[in-house]
Amino acid sequence: MSRPPNIVFIGKKPILTYLNATLTLLANEPTVTIKARGRSMVTAVDVSQMIVKRMSAMGYKVSGVRIFSERLESKDGKERNVSTIEVDVSKS
């Protein structure tokens, strides 16, 4: 299964990794979705805000935000809710 070309999945790498990945995609795509769940949601918001606020001369904006929750089974077999955020960044 290949990932869609305009989505950056946030994990545990340094924030600059995701910032560079998002900016690289924005050079070729009109909109990029930054997606994270659980504790990585903070990093997703930070990446989107760094792009929008520090690169405002380039005309980037947050064009959409979606939040939701999923029920997942943990390694110990218990079900739990995991929050997810998707932030769309696009050129204005």
Side-chain angles (χ1 to χ4, degrees):
M1 183 173 122
S2 64
R3 69 182 181 110
N6 65 336
I7 296 179
V8 175
F9 293 97
I10 304 295
K12 296 182 179 183
K13 294 180 183 175
I15 192 168
L16 287 178
T17 303
Y18 305 111
L19 185 64
N20 288 334
T22 305
L23 288 172
T24 301
L25 285 173
L26 280 168
N28 300 314
E29 300 284 338
T31 302
V32 174
T33 300
I34 302 167
K35 187 173 183 177
R37 60 184 191 188
R39 294 181 181 174
S40 297
M41 292 190 309
V42 173
T43 305
V45 172
D46 289 344
V47 169
S48 67
Q49 291 303 292
M50 288 174 86
I51 291 170
V52 170
K53 292 189 177 188
R54 295 188 180 170
M55 306 194 80
S56 59
M58 300 292 288
Y60 296 123
K61 67 176 181 177
V62 172
S63 56
V65 177
R66 292 172 300 285
I67 55 171
F68 49 95
S69 172
E70 301 175 272
R71 289 200 56 81
L72 297 177
E73 188 174 319
S74 62
K75 292 178 183 178
D76 62 1
K78 296 180 182 177
E79 283 199 2
R80 62 188 192 119
N81 287 327
V82 178
S83 299
T84 304
I85 189 168
E86 295 178 357
V87 181
D88 296 331
V89 178
S90 59
K91 299 173 187 173
S92 37

